[in-house]
Coordinates of all heavy atoms in Angstrom, one line a residue:
M1 N 0.8 -1.2 0.0 CA 0.0 0.0 0.0 C 0.9 1.2 0.0 O 1.8 1.3 0.7 CB -0.9 0.0 1.2 CG -1.7 1.2 1.4 SD -2.6 1.3 2.9 CE -4.2 0.8 2.4
L2 N 0.5 2.2 -0.8 CA 1.3 3.5 -0.9 C 0.9 4.3 0.3 O -0.2 4.4 0.7 CB 1.0 4.2 -2.2 CG 1.4 3.5 -3.5 CD1 0.9 4.3 -4.7 CD2 2.9 3.4 -3.5
N3 N 1.9 5.0 0.8 CA 1.7 6.0 1.9 C 1.3 7.3 1.3 O 2.0 7.8 0.4 CB 3.0 6.2 2.7 CG 3.3 5.0 3.5 OD1 2.5 4.2 3.9 ND2 4.6 4.8 3.8
R4 N 0.2 7.8 1.8 CA -0.3 9.1 1.3 C 0.4 10.2 2.2 O 0.6 10.0 3.4 CB -1.8 9.2 1.5 CG -2.5 8.5 0.4 CD -4.0 8.6 0.6 NE -4.4 10.0 0.6 CZ -5.6 10.5 0.5 NH1 -6.6 9.6 0.5 NH2 -5.9 11.8 0.5
A5 N 0.6 11.3 1.6 CA 1.2 12.5 2.4 C 0.1 12.9 3.4 O -1.1 12.8 3.1 CB 1.5 13.6 1.4
L6 N 0.6 13.4 4.5 CA -0.3 14.0 5.5 C -1.0 15.2 5.0 O -0.4 16.1 4.4 CB 0.5 14.4 6.7 CG -0.2 15.1 7.9 CD1 -1.2 14.1 8.5 CD2 0.7 15.6 8.9
R7 N -2.4 15.1 5.0 CA -3.2 16.2 4.5 C -3.7 17.0 5.8 O -4.2 16.4 6.7 CB -4.4 15.7 3.8 CG -4.1 15.5 2.3 CD -4.3 14.0 1.9 NE -4.1 13.8 0.5 CZ -3.1 13.2 0.0 NH1 -2.2 12.7 0.8 NH2 -3.0 13.0 -1.3
L8 N -3.4 18.3 5.7 CA -3.8 19.2 6.8 C -5.1 19.9 6.5 O -5.2 20.5 5.4 CB -2.7 20.2 7.0 CG -1.3 19.6 7.3 CD1 -0.2 20.6 7.2 CD2 -1.3 18.9 8.7
P9 N -6.1 19.8 7.3 CA -7.4 20.4 7.0 C -7.2 22.0 7.1 O -6.5 22.5 7.9 CB -8.3 19.9 8.1 CG -7.4 19.5 9.2 CD -6.1 19.1 8.6
T10 N -7.9 22.6 6.2 CA -7.9 24.1 6.1 C -9.2 24.6 5.5 O -9.9 23.8 4.9 CB -6.7 24.6 5.4 OG1 -6.7 26.1 5.5 CG2 -6.6 24.2 3.9
R11 N -9.4 25.8 5.6 CA -10.5 26.5 4.9 C -10.0 27.8 4.4 O -10.6 28.9 4.4 CB -11.7 26.7 5.8 CG -12.5 25.5 6.1 CD -13.2 25.0 4.9 NE -14.0 23.7 5.2 CZ -13.6 22.5 4.7 NH1 -12.6 22.4 3.9 NH2 -14.3 21.5 5.0
A12 N -8.8 27.8 3.8 CA -8.1 29.0 3.3 C -8.8 29.4 2.0 O -9.0 28.6 1.1 CB -6.6 28.7 3.1
F13 N -9.1 30.7 1.9 CA -9.7 31.2 0.7 C -8.6 31.5 -0.3 O -7.6 32.1 0.0 CB -10.5 32.5 1.0 CG -11.7 32.3 1.9 CD1 -11.6 32.7 3.2 CD2 -12.8 31.6 1.5 CE1 -12.7 32.4 4.1 CE2 -13.8 31.3 2.3 CZ -13.8 31.8 3.6
V14 N -8.9 31.2 -1.6 CA -7.9 31.4 -2.6 C -8.5 32.0 -3.9 O -9.8 31.8 -4.1 CB -7.1 30.1 -3.0 CG1 -6.3 29.6 -1.8 CG2 -8.1 29.0 -3.5
Q15 N -7.8 32.6 -4.7 CA -8.2 33.0 -6.0 C -7.5 32.1 -7.0 O -6.4 31.7 -6.9 CB -7.8 34.4 -6.4 CG -8.5 35.5 -5.5 CD -7.9 35.6 -4.1 OE1 -6.7 35.7 -4.0 NE2 -8.7 35.7 -3.1
V16 N -8.3 31.6 -8.0 CA -7.8 30.6 -9.0 C -7.9 31.2 -10.4 O -8.9 31.8 -10.8 CB -8.7 29.3 -8.9 CG1 -8.3 28.3 -9.9 CG2 -8.7 28.8 -7.5
R17 N -6.9 30.9 -11.2 CA -6.9 31.3 -12.6 C -6.8 30.0 -13.4 O -5.8 29.2 -13.2 CB -5.7 32.1 -12.9 CG -5.7 33.6 -12.4 CD -4.5 34.4 -12.8 NE -3.2 33.6 -13.0 CZ -2.4 33.3 -12.0 NH1 -2.7 33.7 -10.7 NH2 -1.3 32.7 -12.2
S18 N -7.8 29.7 -14.2 CA -7.8 28.5 -15.0 C -7.9 28.9 -16.5 O -8.1 30.1 -16.8 CB -9.1 27.6 -14.6 OG -10.2 28.1 -15.2
P19 N -7.7 27.9 -17.4 CA -7.8 28.3 -18.8 C -9.1 28.8 -19.2 O -9.3 29.4 -20.2 CB -7.5 26.9 -19.5 CG -6.7 26.2 -18.5 CD -7.2 26.6 -17.2
R20 N -10.2 28.6 -18.4 CA -11.5 29.0 -18.7 C -12.1 30.1 -17.8 O -13.3 30.3 -17.8 CB -12.5 27.8 -18.7 CG -12.3 26.9 -20.0 CD -12.9 25.6 -19.8 NE -12.1 24.5 -19.1 CZ -10.9 24.2 -19.4 NH1 -10.2 24.7 -20.3 NH2 -10.3 23.2 -18.7
G21 N -11.2 30.8 -17.1 CA -11.6 31.9 -16.3 C -11.1 31.9 -14.9 O -10.5 30.9 -14.4
A22 N -11.3 33.0 -14.2 CA -10.9 33.1 -12.8 C -12.1 33.0 -11.9 O -13.2 33.3 -12.2 CB -10.2 34.5 -12.6
F23 N -11.8 32.5 -10.6 CA -12.9 32.4 -9.6 C -12.2 32.3 -8.3 O -11.1 32.0 -8.1 CB -13.7 31.2 -9.9 CG -13.0 29.9 -10.0 CD1 -12.8 29.0 -8.9 CD2 -12.5 29.4 -11.3 CE1 -12.2 27.8 -9.0 CE2 -11.8 28.2 -11.4 CZ -11.6 27.4 -10.2
D24 N -13.1 32.5 -7.2 CA -12.7 32.3 -5.9 C -13.1 30.9 -5.4 O -14.1 30.3 -5.9 CB -13.4 33.3 -4.9 CG -12.9 34.7 -5.2 OD1 -11.8 34.9 -5.6 OD2 -13.7 35.6 -4.9
A25 N -12.3 30.3 -4.6 CA -12.5 28.9 -4.1 C -11.9 28.8 -2.7 O -11.4 29.7 -2.1 CB -12.0 27.9 -5.0
T26 N -12.0 27.6 -2.1 CA -11.5 27.3 -0.8 C -10.7 26.0 -0.8 O -11.0 25.1 -1.5 CB -12.7 27.0 0.2 OG1 -13.6 28.1 0.2 CG2 -12.2 26.7 1.6
L27 N -9.5 26.1 -0.1 CA -8.7 24.9 0.0 C -9.3 24.0 1.1 O -9.6 24.5 2.2 CB -7.3 25.2 0.4 CG -6.4 25.9 -0.7 CD1 -5.0 26.2 -0.1 CD2 -6.3 25.1 -1.9
G28 N -9.6 22.8 0.8 CA -10.2 21.9 1.8 C -9.2 21.2 2.6 O -9.4 20.9 3.8
N29 N -8.1 20.9 2.0 CA -6.9 20.3 2.7 C -5.7 20.7 1.9 O -5.7 21.1 0.8 CB -7.1 18.8 3.0 CG -7.0 18.0 1.8 OD1 -6.3 18.2 0.8 ND2 -7.8 16.9 1.8
L30 N -4.5 20.4 2.6 CA -3.3 20.9 2.0 C -2.1 19.9 2.4 O -2.1 19.5 3.6 CB -3.0 22.3 2.5 CG -1.7 23.0 2.1 CD1 -1.8 23.3 0.6 CD2 -1.5 24.3 2.9
S31 N -1.2 19.6 1.5 CA 0.0 18.9 1.8 C 1.1 19.6 1.0 O 0.8 20.5 0.2 CB -0.1 17.4 1.5 OG -0.1 17.3 0.0
A32 N 2.3 19.2 1.2 CA 3.4 19.7 0.5 C 3.3 19.5 -1.0 O 3.6 20.3 -1.9 CB 4.8 19.2 1.0
A33 N 2.7 18.4 -1.4 CA 2.6 18.0 -2.8 C 1.3 18.5 -3.5 O 1.3 18.6 -4.7 CB 2.7 16.5 -2.9
G34 N 0.3 18.7 -2.7 CA -1.0 19.1 -3.4 C -2.0 19.6 -2.4 O -1.8 19.8 -1.3
A35 N -3.3 19.7 -2.9 CA -4.4 20.2 -2.2 C -5.7 19.7 -2.8 O -5.8 19.3 -3.9 CB -4.3 21.7 -2.1
R36 N -6.7 19.9 -1.9 CA -8.1 19.7 -2.4 C -8.8 21.0 -2.5 O -8.7 21.8 -1.6 CB -8.9 18.8 -1.5 CG -10.3 18.5 -1.9 CD -11.0 17.5 -1.1 NE -10.9 17.6 0.3 CZ -11.8 18.2 1.1 NH1 -12.9 18.7 0.5 NH2 -11.6 18.3 2.4
L37 N -9.3 21.4 -3.6 CA -10.0 22.6 -3.9 C -11.5 22.4 -3.9 O -12.0 21.5 -4.6 CB -9.5 23.2 -5.3 CG -9.7 24.6 -5.6 CD1 -9.1 25.6 -4.6 CD2 -9.2 24.9 -7.0
V38 N -12.2 23.3 -3.2 CA -13.6 23.1 -3.0 C -14.3 24.4 -3.5 O -13.8 25.5 -3.3 CB -14.0 22.9 -1.6 CG1 -15.5 22.7 -1.4 CG2 -13.3 21.7 -1.0
G39 N -15.5 24.3 -4.1 CA -16.3 25.5 -4.5 C -16.0 25.9 -5.9 O -16.0 27.1 -6.2
I40 N -15.7 24.9 -6.8 CA -15.3 25.2 -8.2 C -16.6 25.4 -9.0 O -17.5 24.6 -9.0 CB -14.5 24.1 -8.7 CG1 -13.3 23.8 -7.9 CG2 -14.2 24.3 -10.2 CD1 -12.7 22.5 -8.2
P41 N -16.7 26.6 -9.7 CA -17.9 26.8 -10.5 C -17.9 25.8 -11.7 O -16.8 25.3 -12.2 CB -17.7 28.2 -11.1 CG -16.7 28.8 -10.1 CD -15.9 27.7 -9.6
E42 N -19.1 25.5 -12.2 CA -19.2 24.5 -13.3 C -18.4 25.0 -14.6 O -18.3 26.2 -14.8 CB -20.7 24.4 -13.7 CG -21.5 23.5 -12.8 CD -22.9 23.3 -13.3 OE1 -23.0 23.0 -14.5 OE2 -23.8 23.4 -12.5
R43 N -17.8 24.0 -15.3 CA -17.2 24.2 -16.5 C -16.0 25.2 -16.5 O -15.7 25.9 -17.4 CB -18.1 24.7 -17.6 CG -19.2 23.6 -17.9 CD -20.0 24.0 -19.1 NE -21.1 24.8 -18.8 CZ -22.3 24.4 -18.3 NH1 -22.5 23.2 -18.0 NH2 -23.3 25.3 -18.0
T44 N -15.3 25.3 -15.3 CA -14.1 26.2 -15.2 C -12.8 25.4 -15.3 O -11.8 26.0 -15.5 CB -14.2 27.1 -14.0 OG1 -14.4 26.2 -12.8 CG2 -15.3 28.1 -14.1
I45 N -12.8 24.1 -14.9 CA -11.6 23.3 -15.0 C -11.9 21.9 -15.5 O -13.1 21.4 -15.4 CB -10.9 23.2 -13.6 CG1 -11.8 22.5 -12.6 CG2 -10.5 24.6 -13.1 CD1 -11.1 22.0 -11.4
I46 N -10.9 21.3 -16.0 CA -11.0 19.8 -16.4 C -9.7 19.2 -15.9 O -8.6 19.8 -15.7 CB -11.2 19.6 -17.9 CG1 -10.1 20.2 -18.7 CG2 -12.6 20.1 -18.3 CD1 -10.2 19.9 -20.2
V47 N -9.7 17.9 -15.8 CA -8.5 17.1 -15.4 C -7.4 17.4 -16.4 O -7.7 17.4 -17.6 CB -8.8 15.6 -15.3 CG1 -7.6 14.8 -15.1 CG2 -9.8 15.4 -14.2
G48 N -6.2 17.6 -15.9 CA -5.1 17.9 -16.8 C -4.8 19.4 -16.9 O -3.7 19.8 -17.4
D49 N -5.7 20.3 -16.6 CA -5.5 21.7 -16.6 C -4.4 22.1 -15.7 O -4.2 21.5 -14.6 CB -6.7 22.5 -16.2 CG -7.8 22.7 -17.3 OD1 -7.5 22.4 -18.4 OD2 -8.9 23.2 -16.9
W50 N -3.6 23.1 -16.0 CA -2.7 23.8 -15.1 C -3.3 25.0 -14.7 O -3.8 25.8 -15.5 CB -1.3 24.1 -15.8 CG -0.5 22.8 -15.9 CD1 -0.4 21.9 -16.9 CD2 0.4 22.4 -14.8 NE1 0.4 20.9 -16.5 CE2 0.9 21.2 -15.3 CE3 0.7 22.9 -13.6 CZ2 1.8 20.4 -14.5 CZ3 1.6 22.2 -12.8 CH2 2.2 21.0 -13.3
I51 N -3.4 25.3 -13.4 CA -4.1 26.4 -12.9 C -3.2 27.2 -11.9 O -2.2 26.6 -11.4 CB -5.4 26.1 -12.1 CG1 -5.1 25.2 -10.9 CG2 -6.4 25.4 -13.0 CD1 -6.3 24.9 -10.0
G52 N -3.5 28.5 -11.8 CA -2.7 29.3 -10.8 C -3.6 29.5 -9.6 O -4.8 29.8 -9.7
I53 N -2.9 29.4 -8.4 CA -3.6 29.6 -7.1 C -2.9 30.8 -6.5 O -1.7 30.9 -6.4 CB -3.4 28.4 -6.2 CG1 -3.8 27.1 -6.8 CG2 -4.0 28.7 -4.8 CD1 -5.3 26.8 -6.8
H54 N -3.7 31.8 -6.1 CA -3.2 33.0 -5.4 C -3.7 32.9 -4.0 O -4.9 32.9 -3.7 CB -3.6 34.3 -6.1 CG -3.1 35.5 -5.4 ND1 -1.8 35.9 -5.6 CD2 -3.6 36.3 -4.6 CE1 -1.6 37.0 -4.9 NE2 -2.7 37.3 -4.3
C55 N -2.8 32.9 -3.0 CA -3.2 32.9 -1.6 C -2.1 33.6 -0.8 O -0.9 33.4 -0.9 CB -3.3 31.4 -1.1 SG -3.8 31.2 0.6
V56 N -2.5 34.5 0.1 CA -1.6 35.2 1.0 C -0.5 35.9 0.3 O 0.7 35.8 0.7 CB -1.1 34.3 2.1 CG1 -0.6 35.1 3.3 CG2 -2.2 33.4 2.7
G57 N -0.8 36.5 -0.9 CA 0.2 37.2 -1.6 C 1.2 36.4 -2.4 O 2.1 36.9 -3.0
Q58 N 1.0 35.1 -2.4 CA 1.9 34.2 -3.2 C 1.1 33.5 -4.3 O -0.1 33.3 -4.2 CB 2.5 33.2 -2.3 CG 3.4 33.7 -1.2 CD 4.6 34.4 -1.8 OE1 5.3 33.8 -2.6 NE2 4.9 35.6 -1.4
N59 N 1.8 33.1 -5.3 CA 1.2 32.4 -6.5 C 1.8 31.0 -6.5 O 3.0 30.8 -6.4 CB 1.4 33.1 -7.8 CG 0.7 34.4 -7.8 OD1 -0.5 34.5 -7.6 ND2 1.4 35.5 -8.1
Y60 N 0.9 30.0 -6.8 CA 1.4 28.6 -6.9 C 0.7 28.0 -8.2 O -0.4 28.3 -8.5 CB 0.9 27.8 -5.7 CG 1.3 28.4 -4.4 CD1 0.4 29.2 -3.6 CD2 2.6 28.2 -3.9 CE1 0.8 29.8 -2.4 CE2 3.0 28.8 -2.7 CZ 2.1 29.6 -2.0 OH 2.5 30.1 -0.8
S61 N 1.5 27.2 -8.8 CA 1.0 26.5 -10.0 C 0.7 25.1 -9.7 O 1.5 24.4 -9.0 CB 2.1 26.6 -11.1 OG 1.6 26.1 -12.3
A62 N -0.4 24.6 -10.2 CA -0.8 23.2 -9.9 C -1.6 22.6 -11.0 O -2.2 23.3 -11.8 CB -1.7 23.2 -8.6
E63 N -1.5 21.2 -11.1 CA -2.2 20.5 -12.1 C -3.4 19.9 -11.5 O -3.4 19.3 -10.4 CB -1.3 19.4 -12.7 CG -2.0 18.6 -13.8 CD -1.1 17.4 -14.3 OE1 -0.1 17.1 -13.7 OE2 -1.5 16.8 -15.3
V64 N -4.5 19.9 -12.2 CA -5.8 19.3 -11.8 C -5.6 17.8 -12.0 O -5.5 17.4 -13.2 CB -7.0 19.8 -12.5 CG1 -8.3 19.1 -12.0 CG2 -7.1 21.3 -12.2
R65 N -5.6 17.0 -11.0 CA -5.4 15.5 -11.1 C -6.8 14.8 -11.1 O -6.8 13.7 -11.7 CB -4.6 15.0 -9.9 CG -3.2 15.7 -9.9 CD -2.4 15.4 -11.2 NE -2.2 14.0 -11.3 CZ -1.0 13.4 -11.3 NH1 0.1 14.1 -11.1 NH2 -0.9 12.1 -11.4
W66 N -7.8 15.3 -10.4 CA -9.1 14.7 -10.5 C -10.1 15.8 -10.2 O -9.8 16.8 -9.7 CB -9.3 13.5 -9.5 CG -9.0 13.9 -8.0 CD1 -7.8 13.7 -7.3 CD2 -9.9 14.4 -7.1 NE1 -8.0 14.1 -6.0 CE2 -9.3 14.6 -5.9 CE3 -11.3 14.8 -7.1 CZ2 -9.9 15.1 -4.7 CZ3 -11.9 15.3 -6.0 CH2 -11.2 15.4 -4.8
H67 N -11.4 15.5 -10.7 CA -12.4 16.5 -10.5 C -13.8 15.8 -10.4 O -14.1 14.8 -11.1 CB -12.4 17.4 -11.8 CG -13.5 18.4 -11.7 ND1 -14.6 18.4 -12.6 CD2 -13.6 19.6 -11.0 CE1 -15.3 19.5 -12.3 NE2 -14.7 20.2 -11.4
F68 N -14.5 16.2 -9.3 CA -15.8 15.6 -9.1 C -16.7 16.7 -8.5 O -16.4 17.3 -7.5 CB -15.7 14.4 -8.1 CG -17.0 13.7 -7.9 CD1 -17.6 12.9 -8.8 CD2 -17.7 13.9 -6.6 CE1 -18.8 12.3 -8.6 CE2 -18.9 13.3 -6.4 CZ -19.5 12.5 -7.3
D69 N -17.9 16.9 -9.1 CA -18.8 18.0 -8.7 C -18.0 19.3 -8.5 O -17.5 19.7 -9.5 CB -19.5 17.6 -7.4 CG -20.5 16.5 -7.6 OD1 -21.0 16.3 -8.7 OD2 -20.8 15.8 -6.6
D70 N -18.1 19.9 -7.3 CA -17.4 21.2 -7.2 C -16.1 21.1 -6.5 O -15.6 22.0 -5.9 CB -18.3 22.2 -6.4 CG -18.4 21.9 -4.9 OD1 -18.1 20.7 -4.5 OD2 -18.7 22.8 -4.2
T71 N -15.5 19.9 -6.5 CA -14.2 19.6 -5.8 C -13.2 19.0 -6.8 O -13.5 18.3 -7.7 CB -14.5 18.6 -4.7 OG1 -15.5 19.2 -3.8 CG2 -13.2 18.3 -3.9
C72 N -11.9 19.3 -6.5 CA -10.9 18.7 -7.4 C -9.6 18.5 -6.5 O -9.4 19.1 -5.5 CB -10.5 19.5 -8.6 SG -9.6 21.0 -8.3
G73 N -8.7 17.6 -7.0 CA -7.5 17.4 -6.4 C -6.4 18.0 -7.2 O -6.4 17.9 -8.4
L74 N -5.4 18.6 -6.6 CA -4.3 19.3 -7.2 C -3.0 18.8 -6.9 O -2.8 18.3 -5.7 CB -4.3 20.8 -6.8 CG -5.6 21.6 -7.0 CD1 -5.4 23.0 -6.5 CD2 -6.0 21.7 -8.5
M75 N -2.0 18.8 -7.8 CA -0.6 18.5 -7.5 C 0.2 19.7 -7.9 O 0.1 20.2 -9.0 CB -0.2 17.3 -8.3 CG 1.3 16.9 -8.0 SD 1.8 15.4 -8.8 CE 2.1 16.0 -10.4
F76 N 0.9 20.3 -6.9 CA 1.7 21.5 -7.1 C 2.8 21.2 -8.0 O 3.4 20.1 -8.0 CB 2.2 22.0 -5.8 CG 1.1 22.5 -4.9 CD1 0.9 22.0 -3.6 CD2 0.3 23.6 -5.3 CE1 -0.1 22.4 -2.8 CE2 -0.7 24.0 -4.4 CZ -0.9 23.5 -3.2
E77 N 3.2 22.2 -8.8 CA 4.3 22.1 -9.7 C 5.6 21.9 -9.0 O 6.4 21.1 -9.3 CB 4.4 23.3 -10.6 CG 5.5 23.3 -11.6 CD 5.5 24.5 -12.5 OE1 5.1 25.6 -12.1 OE2 6.0 24.3 -13.7
E78 N 5.7 22.6 -7.8 CA 6.9 22.5 -6.9 C 6.3 22.2 -5.5 O 5.4 22.9 -5.1 CB 7.7 23.7 -6.9 CG 8.4 24.1 -8.2 CD 9.5 23.2 -8.6 OE1 10.2 22.7 -7.6 OE2 9.7 22.9 -9.8
P79 N 6.9 21.2 -4.8 CA 6.4 21.0 -3.4 C 6.5 22.3 -2.6 O 7.4 23.0 -2.7 CB 7.3 19.9 -2.9 CG 7.8 19.2 -4.1 CD 7.9 20.3 -5.2
L80 N 5.5 22.4 -1.7 CA 5.5 23.6 -0.8 C 6.5 23.4 0.3 O 6.6 22.2 0.8 CB 4.1 23.8 -0.2 CG 3.0 24.1 -1.2 CD1 1.7 24.4 -0.4 CD2 3.3 25.2 -2.2
S81 N 7.1 24.4 0.8 CA 8.0 24.3 1.9 C 7.1 24.4 3.2 O 5.9 24.7 3.2 CB 8.9 25.5 2.0 OG 8.2 26.7 2.2
E82 N 7.7 24.0 4.3 CA 7.0 24.1 5.6 C 6.5 25.5 5.9 O 5.4 25.7 6.3 CB 7.9 23.6 6.7 CG 7.2 23.5 8.0 CD 8.0 22.9 9.1 OE1 8.9 22.1 8.8 OE2 7.8 23.2 10.3
Y83 N 7.3 26.5 5.5 CA 7.0 27.9 5.7 C 5.7 28.2 4.9 O 4.8 28.9 5.4 CB 8.1 28.8 5.4 CG 7.8 30.2 5.5 CD1 7.7 30.9 6.7 CD2 7.5 31.0 4.3 CE1 7.4 32.2 6.8 CE2 7.1 32.3 4.4 CZ 7.1 32.9 5.7 OH 6.7 34.3 5.7
Q84 N 5.7 27.8 3.6 CA 4.6 28.1 2.8 C 3.3 27.5 3.3 O 2.2 28.1 3.3 CB 4.9 27.6 1.3 CG 5.9 28.5 0.6 CD 6.3 27.8 -0.7 OE1 6.6 26.6 -0.8 NE2 6.4 28.6 -1.8
I85 N 3.4 26.2 3.7 CA 2.2 25.5 4.3 C 1.7 26.3 5.5 O 0.5 26.5 5.6 CB 2.6 24.1 4.6 CG1 2.8 23.3 3.3 CG2 1.5 23.4 5.5 CD1 3.4 21.9 3.6
M86 N 2.6 26.6 6.4 CA 2.2 27.3 7.7 C 1.6 28.7 7.3 O 0.6 29.1 8.0 CB 3.3 27.5 8.6 CG 3.9 26.1 9.1 SD 2.6 25.0 9.7 CE 2.0 25.9 11.1
T87 N 2.1 29.4 6.3 CA 1.5 30.7 5.9 C 0.1 30.5 5.4 O -0.8 31.3 5.8 CB 2.4 31.3 4.9 OG1 3.7 31.5 5.4 CG2 1.9 32.7 4.4
I88 N -0.1 29.5 4.6 CA -1.4 29.3 4.0 C -2.4 28.9 5.1 O -3.5 29.3 5.2 CB -1.4 28.2 2.9 CG1 -0.6 28.7 1.7 CG2 -2.8 27.8 2.5 CD1 -0.3 27.7 0.6
L89 N -1.9 28.0 6.0 CA -2.8 27.5 7.1 C -3.2 28.7 8.0 O -4.3 28.8 8.6 CB -2.1 26.4 7.9 CG -2.0 25.1 7.2 CD1 -1.2 24.1 8.1 CD2 -3.3 24.5 6.8
G90 N -2.3 29.6 8.2 CA -2.5 30.8 9.0 C -3.5 31.8 8.4 O -3.9 32.7 9.0
S91 N -3.7 31.6 7.1 CA -4.6 32.6 6.4 C -6.1 32.3 6.5 O -6.9 33.0 5.9 CB -4.2 32.6 4.9 OG -4.7 31.4 4.3
R92 N -6.4 31.3 7.3 CA -7.8 30.9 7.4 C -8.8 31.9 8.0 O -9.9 31.9 7.7 CB -8.0 29.6 8.3 CG -7.4 28.4 7.6 CD -7.5 27.2 8.5 NE -6.5 27.3 9.5 CZ -6.4 26.3 10.4 NH1 -7.1 25.3 10.4 NH2 -5.4 26.4 11.3
V93 N -8.2 32.9 8.7 CA -9.0 33.9 9.3 C -9.4 35.0 8.2 O -8.5 35.5 7.6 CB -8.3 34.6 10.5 CG1 -9.2 35.7 11.0 CG2 -8.0 33.6 11.5
A94 N -10.7 35.2 8.0 CA -11.1 36.2 7.0 C -11.0 37.6 7.6 O -11.4 37.8 8.8 CB -12.5 35.9 6.5
L95 N -10.5 38.5 6.9 CA -10.3 39.9 7.4 C -11.5 40.7 7.0 O -12.1 40.6 6.0 CB -9.0 40.5 6.9 CG -7.8 39.8 7.3 CD1 -6.6 40.4 6.6 CD2 -7.6 39.8 8.8

């Protein structure tokens, strides 16, 4: 059995740029390698798309690995550092 990376629950708000438009969404969980994105509008992403995620003043590039209803799984182009993860997790508070 393959070991899955530890997924950290979050509700961080993010802005997403996809090939079919930009929208706001929420990270449902986060690991160094990827994330679950929740609240995706219909027809804005498909599996295989490369999207941009903007959160806490930083931009991250990720590939859509799976998609179901308004949720998808992402794999980051570059693994996140511990600092980047902690910064995103700390952004859960809406201002």
Side-chain angles (χ1 to χ4, degrees):
M1 175 188 262
L2 295 176
N3 290 333
R4 286 181 56 171
L6 175 65
R7 274 122 174 108
L8 303 167
T10 184
R11 289 289 179 250
F13 297 108
V14 297
Q15 292 80 45
V16 179
R17 289 182 328 277
S18 80
R20 283 165 279 305
F23 56 92
D24 294 331
T26 303
L27 292 179
N29 67 37
L30 181 67
S31 74
R36 180 170 49 95
L37 194 59
V38 181
I40 303 164
E42 285 188 44
R43 295 187 277 280
T44 54
I45 63 165
I46 59 173
V47 173
D49 278 351
W50 280 92
I51 63 172
I53 306 277
H54 181 80
C55 183
V56 197
Q58 296 296 310
N59 294 306
Y60 306 97
S61 183
E63 181 183 11
V64 176
R65 300 300 296 247
W66 58 266
H67 181 249
F68 182 75
D69 288 337
D70 74 337
T71 304
C72 75
L74 304 175
M75 183 174 77
F76 294 119
E77 183 174 29
E78 297 288 330
L80 301 183
S81 69
E82 185 176 333
Y83 176 79
Q84 289 170 314
I85 291 170
M86 296 312 294
T87 300
I88 292 169
L89 292 176
S91 74
R92 290 182 281 184
V93 177
L95 300 177

